[in-house]
Amino acid sequence: RANFQTSINTLYKRTDFLFGLLLAIEWLAGIAVSLVISPLTWAGRESNVHLHVWMALILGSIIVSYPLFLIKTKPGESVTRHAVAIAQMLMSALLIHLTGGRIETHFHIFGSLAFLAFYRDWRVLISASLIVVADHILRGIYYPQSIYGTDLVQPWRWLEHAWWVIFEDIFLIFAIRGNTDDMFQAAAREAELETTRANIEQLVEVKTEQLYLSEKRTQAQFLVTAR
């Protein structure tokens, strides 16, 4: 059990670090996308920085700052994993908005769920999926163009997207359970090997001590006989 906990904690910390890099890269990518697609807004001859640029810069930094702080201060802890999952899905929502609801950008959600499965903690997927569903419901009601690319949206369209998210979650959860079982069995075998090794070393020490005492007795008997 202790070996398994050590292994899973190491996995959590390593995955935290990788997501820290990913979130930072996604933030920079969001800024780049906003600068390429709509860097300026025009009112006659006057131009200003487009709202999307400020959203990518400021909102993106808000999204990634807290999980990055937790990755630095509380690596491997449950709160860090869930914060990362929520931030990852919020970055998906931001990127979808910046690209005008393009269907291709929605694949970022499914890729993110697959990456979150690296944690081998199915509860992280639930947190991420709840954010996705809530985002689709709220933006579908108040700002459908930012998520679907059109204002003409059926009221229940979010159910279709939610179903595909749940569909992926089911397979990922089965995969996580299988991988976790494999890790537990490997840790159990390692523990058995360590116990066997310790028993052998202890037996060797006992036999060595017995041999040493036997040699001492033999030497004492030889000296007595020689006298």
Side-chain angles (χ1 to χ4, degrees):
R1 185 72 181 185
N3 286 349
F4 171 75
Q5 199 60 47
T6 300
S7 298
I8 201 71
N9 286 338
T10 301
L11 175 65
Y12 289 156
K13 292 178 182 179
R14 183 171 64 247
T15 309
D16 282 342
F17 175 76
L18 293 176
F19 267 105
L21 293 177
L22 179 59
L23 288 171
I25 292 171
E26 287 173 334
W27 177 41
L28 296 176
I31 296 172
V33 167
S34 66
L35 290 173
V36 170
I37 294 179
S38 52
L40 299 175
T41 180
W42 292 84
R45 294 184 177 182
E46 295 183 0
S47 65
N48 295 296
V49 177
H50 198 282
L51 178 62
H52 283 179
V53 177
W54 293 117
M55 287 185 66
L57 183 62
I58 299 175
L59 183 58
S61 66
I62 294 173
I63 291 172
V64 303
S65 58
Y66 184 60
L68 289 178
F69 171 75
L70 291 178
I71 290 170
K72 180 67 175 179
T73 58
K74 297 182 178 181
E77 295 192 16
S78 178
V79 64
T80 304
R81 295 194 294 278
H82 288 281
V84 165
I86 292 170
Q88 184 63 29
M89 291 304 138
L90 291 177
M91 285 304 300
S92 292
L94 179 59
L95 290 172
I96 290 171
H97 173 75
L98 294 176
T99 57
R102 289 186 182 182
I103 191 64
E104 294 86 356
T105 317
H106 284 257
F107 288 109
H108 187 274
I109 293 173
F110 302 105
S112 296
L113 288 173
F115 289 154
L116 288 169
F118 290 173
Y119 276 120
R120 300 187 186 181
D121 183 355
W122 62 269
R123 292 164 295 187
V124 171
L125 297 178
I126 302 302
S127 296
S129 300
L130 289 175
I131 295 299
V132 172
V133 173
D135 175 58
H136 278 71
I137 293 175
L138 293 175
R139 280 203 287 167
I141 294 173
Y142 297 107
Y143 196 4
Q145 187 174 5
S146 72
I147 193 168
Y148 299 119
T150 178
D151 288 327
L152 302 176
V153 178
Q154 295 177 347
W156 299 103
R157 185 171 178 181
W158 65 270
L159 277 175
E160 178 184 353
H161 291 258
W163 158 247
W164 286 114
V165 169
I166 294 171
F167 180 77
E168 182 178 6
D169 282 344
I170 291 172
F171 283 92
L172 290 176
I173 288 171
F174 274 110
I176 287 171
R177 292 293 299 272
N179 290 333
T180 304
D181 289 341
D182 290 342
M183 286 184 66
F184 187 84
Q185 293 174 7
R189 287 193 296 269
E190 184 179 353
E192 290 177 0
L193 289 174
E194 290 177 355
T195 301
T196 302
R197 188 183 304 114
N199 291 335
I200 292 174
E201 290 176 353
Q202 184 178 7
L203 180 61
V204 169
E205 290 178 359
V206 171
K207 292 297 183 182
T208 302
E209 182 68 20
Q210 290 176 349
L211 179 61
Y212 175 76
L213 294 175
S214 177
E215 290 178 350
K216 283 292 187 180
R217 285 195 297 269
T218 301
Q219 290 176 0
Q221 291 174 359
F222 177 77
L223 292 175
V224 171
T225 304
R227 292 177 182 175

